[in-house]
Amino acid sequence: MQRLSVDLYRQSQLLGRLLERHELLPGRYRYGITGIDPSTGRALTPGIYRLVVNAVSSDEVTSERQLGFTVAG
């Protein structure tokens, strides 16, 4: 895989990039979400969020997946 990135959104607003890796070996990768807003460094406020995972292969094929989650108040 050429590139892997994970971005955090609240509604349509991009809060920040949580992860970007380049030149990854084939396989499975796991990452934990801490609940910290990447733009402020504070705990996420209650609400609905979305992670957008983008992967680009070495032959430039792009794949995107989205995962929604809720932070309870």
Side-chain angles (χ1 to χ4, degrees):
M1 189 178 335
Q2 187 68 20
R3 183 178 57 83
L4 176 70
S5 64
V6 179
D7 295 322
L8 177 65
Y9 287 83
R10 182 164 187 187
Q11 297 172 357
S12 63
Q13 179 185 3
L14 173 63
L15 297 178
R17 178 153 286 171
L18 301 178
L19 166 77
E20 184 165 17
R21 299 285 186 258
H22 296 272
E23 300 179 13
L24 296 158
L25 296 172
R28 294 179 182 206
Y29 293 87
R30 287 186 191 187
Y31 297 97
I33 305 303
T34 64
I36 301 298
D37 184 328
S39 61
T40 65
R42 297 181 181 165
L44 294 173
T45 58
I48 299 172
Y49 293 86
R50 173 171 55 102
L51 294 174
V52 178
V53 180
N54 281 301
V56 180
S57 66
S58 56
D59 56 352
E60 299 298 321
V61 175
T62 301
S63 177
E64 179 181 290
R65 299 291 186 268
Q66 296 188 28
L67 171 69
F69 66 97
T70 301
V71 174

